Amino acid sequence: MRARVIRTRRSASASASALTLASAAAALLSGCTGCESSTRDLPSGAPATASASPQAAPPPPARDVVHLIDELPSCDLEHRGLLFDTGANALIGRFAWQGTVPTGIQAVEHDGSTWARISERQIKLTFVLPSASPIFVSARAVGLTSKYATVSLDDQLLGTLRLQRDQIRIASTPTTTLPADPGLHTLTLQFSGRLRQGESFADVDWVRVGIPDEDPATYGPPTLRDVVAPAAALSGVPHRSIALRAPGAVRCAFRPSRVTRLRTAIGALGSGEGDAEIRVLRDGQEPLVIHRVHVEGGDKAAWTDVELPLAPFAGSLISLELRAAAAARGGRILFGDPVLAGSQEPPPSVPAARAVVIVAMNGVERPDLPPWSGRPEPHLATLSELATSATTFDHHRGPSTVVSAVAASLLTGLPPPAHTVADTGARLPAHVTTIGAIASDSSIRTGFFTGVPTTFRAFGFGPGWSRVLEHPPTSGEPATTPIDAAAAWISETVRQDASNRLLAFVHARGGHPPWEVSPKELNALKPADYAGPVEPRRAAQVLARLRSRRRDVLSPEDRDRIRDLFSIALAGQDRALGNLIGTLKAAGLWDDTLFIVTGDLASGRSDAALYGEGMDLQEPVLTLPLYVHFPGDLYAGQRVAAPTEIIDVARTAIAALGLSFARKPLGKDLAAVASGLEGVERGPQIAALGDRYSTRWGNLVLSGRLGVPPFLCDLDVDPTCAFNRREVMPLATVSLFRRTVTFDLSVRAPAAQREPATIDAETAAVLNVWGAN
């Protein structure tokens, strides 16, 4: 079977914009011009996708700002205890490590407020108690078929909530005689009664984990509706505000950068005086007050502007707390327009490029490549040169351990739950827009060259590109054919018209078997009398059989043979990369080219994972190389420590071509990351595989399976992740998990959109040679 060359082109598809978390993926998947777009990423009136001259740089993004009021659903609300607002998406990520809201919880309305209608027998909520204290649990609810609900804390019975049928009331348990320990807890509500078709147990407005006090005032729950004052005015100056009764607080988790500043205006609503505090909470440390303000209400009420640098906490996961420490009875402390602001000027965008060339190498690991190997690599001359002359990124991460899922994310700028290529049997749906389709629709020449069977047309790849080449491992042609074909196509395109702009994607074999080795090279390998099962042409099939046994059975000689064959194959790929760069230079394009080399999946060190897919989401497998040559040699020779992801490649490529996604783009511009002018915060890097997840935020990695308590690893003190720090770092655990679930729900496409790959006999034979299980 020879390499297949296909010419194809398709237009971007259209879909409606998202209105809720559950349907937000529709807008992300769409490439339509009618979709709702982000004003941060698309200038007013700009088309969704538009061609631009190579001299025209894309418009700079607006200054990076996070509005804390918009983040409230994912924050903790506290007033005389912790409150769970059931009607405003505030419970997302709290349902005992579940990834979704239980199906037996539906939104209903009472007197203009949103409540939760419960038809689940049992509800479990996970939360963090900041300090030791006696507690009680109360709820505002209406009984339907249930007369009471038993309440347990960590499986210890606290008491019973008595419910009144068709009547709203606040029910409470007794206060515990002993203080509950600080840290992670699970609250369980179990409803009485039997359900008939269409019935529910109760309607619940809120649930409170109360802290007993001597305050005689009627409890005012800090629901999201209650704490947001859209236009609170003091001295004639209005601010969209967080309004808190004392004692009360809002706590939101962030990982600030060196330039992050908290900016707000603080005042008192009502008569009397009050005190406001801004605190930072971290696991294992006492709360730190970083600012106090005394404010006056009544006729003298005025705003006090506050701006605090958060640089001392850069790189750390913190809970930022806005606290009403004291206020007059009936009064509130206001935090007006609280935001986390980045640098005064936006970081530079990637320079405009005449050509964008992306090479993803299969089956390579960073420890084998310069500069991460830490040793000279004479057989990798091209990558060694890129390690010194280009920009290298030291914390680059993949979104999955499925090769086609990683490639789909690179080409769409979407995570696997959004593009639905989340398993080895899925294909990329035709309605999901790729960077190739966007560029083709803007009259940019595009080429797609792959030697990896799981990115062939059977898996949905190729449509939307003007030139497509598939190079099966059964073809008998050189393993470097995809890279060589890309180089030839670039020469041809420039020869046809020197003004042509182009985008090329190459999915190279990298170090994956079958390996192309000459008899002379094979005879030179040690041991000379090797008689093991590893040989160049059938190695992938042998390793696939070993993976199916799920145990290490390779001998030391087998491992040495694999490493030597891998090195020979990778050296050939490196030489082809050098020829590709030489072609760009000969065409006069190199100085105006965005040239990216990355990986798709680390090959794995154990026999059970070697060149396999769908492995556990472990850091060594998810960590990928990333070399970037920016136009004009921008940031040449720099090593960047800031975290990056595969989806950043798509965003950077589109920006370099002067184009835009029709939907709000995810990811970051790699040039902005390399500039060191960080934004407000560094968001977590999230990888997913079915119901498994691995979320990295700086040195912390939270991993597990939905519905099961997660595993928290601190890489700074435990690089091998031998110890679970979930219980000793509860704030980080809950923050990472809620971020994971919130992101997943905001991008996940409906399950019905997943399409199975179309595997015919020819494709099956190719996959067999490739060693695909």
Side-chain angles (χ1 to χ4, degrees), residues 379-426:
H379 64 295
L380 300 178
T382 304
L383 292 177
S384 296
E385 173 62 23
L386 286 175
T388 58
S389 65
T391 309
T392 50
F393 293 79
D394 287 338
H395 290 92
H396 190 55
R397 199 173 193 252
S400 173
T401 56
V402 173
V403 168
S404 55
V406 177
S409 291
L410 189 155
L411 295 172
T412 65
L414 295 171
H419 58 58
T420 71
V421 186
D423 58 82
T424 56

Side-chain angles (χ1 to χ4, degrees), residues 226-521:
D226 178 71
V227 301
V228 176
L234 300 179
S235 300
V237 179
H239 277 295
R240 184 178 178 224
S241 302
I242 296 174
L244 300 175
R245 297 181 178 90
V250 168
R251 285 190 296 274
C252 305
F254 296 99
R255 186 170 177 262
S257 71
R258 293 171 297 174
V259 299
T260 305
R261 305 181 319 280
L262 171 65
R263 191 172 64 232
T264 187
I266 302 176
L269 184 65
S271 60
E273 302 177 350
D275 294 298
E277 293 180 347
I278 298 172
R279 305 198 306 175
V280 169
L281 280 69
R282 291 167 291 181
D283 285 310
Q285 302 184 38
E286 291 295 319
L288 177 64
V289 178
I290 60 175
H291 195 73
R292 286 191 178 94
V293 177
H294 182 75
V295 291
E296 293 188 27
D299 296 337
K300 297 181 179 180
W303 296 105
T304 299
D305 292 327
V306 173
E307 184 164 345
L308 301 173
L310 298 180
F313 312 104
S316 298
L317 182 57
I318 65 172
S319 287
L320 184 64
E321 181 182 84
L322 308 181
R323 172 167 289 274
R329 190 165 187 173
R332 300 195 186 196
I333 300 298
L334 300 176
F335 293 87
D337 287 312
V339 299
L340 296 180
S343 59
Q344 295 295 329
E345 298 297 330
S349 297
V350 61
R354 289 176 59 198
V356 172
V357 179
I358 304 168
V359 180
M361 303 186 74
N362 186 261
V364 297
E365 291 188 329
R366 286 202 334 183
D368 297 317
L369 307 176
W372 302 284
S373 64
R375 60 181 182 269
E377 302 288 356
H379 64 295
L380 300 178
T382 304
L383 292 177
S384 296
E385 173 62 23
L386 286 175
T388 58
S389 65
T391 309
T392 50
F393 293 79
D394 287 338
H395 290 92
H396 190 55
R397 199 173 193 252
S400 173
T401 56
V402 173
V403 168
S404 55
V406 177
S409 291
L410 189 155
L411 295 172
T412 65
L414 295 171
H419 58 58
T420 71
V421 186
D423 58 82
T424 56
R427 63 181 279 120
L428 185 64
H431 67 268
V432 179
T433 304
T434 66
I435 59 175
I438 294 173
S440 292
D441 288 345
S442 299
S443 300
I444 293 173
R445 301 292 298 276
T446 60
F448 182 94
F449 309 89
T450 176
V452 179
T454 51
T455 51
F456 283 9
R457 289 180 64 85
F459 292 89
F461 294 88
W465 300 76
S466 52
R467 172 73 64 87
V468 176
L469 178 137
E470 297 175 351
H471 176 241
T474 55
S475 66
E477 296 175 348
T480 59
T481 294
I483 305 176
D484 298 336
W489 174 77
I490 290 171
S491 293
E492 175 191 350
T493 301
V494 175
R495 186 168 56 251
Q496 290 174 352
D497 186 344
S499 65
N500 276 332
R501 302 174 65 216
L502 57 91
L503 166 67
F505 172 74
V506 181
H507 200 179
R509 293 251 297 265
H512 196 291
W515 294 298
E516 187 178 279
V517 181
S518 68
K520 181 179 180 180
E521 291 172 321

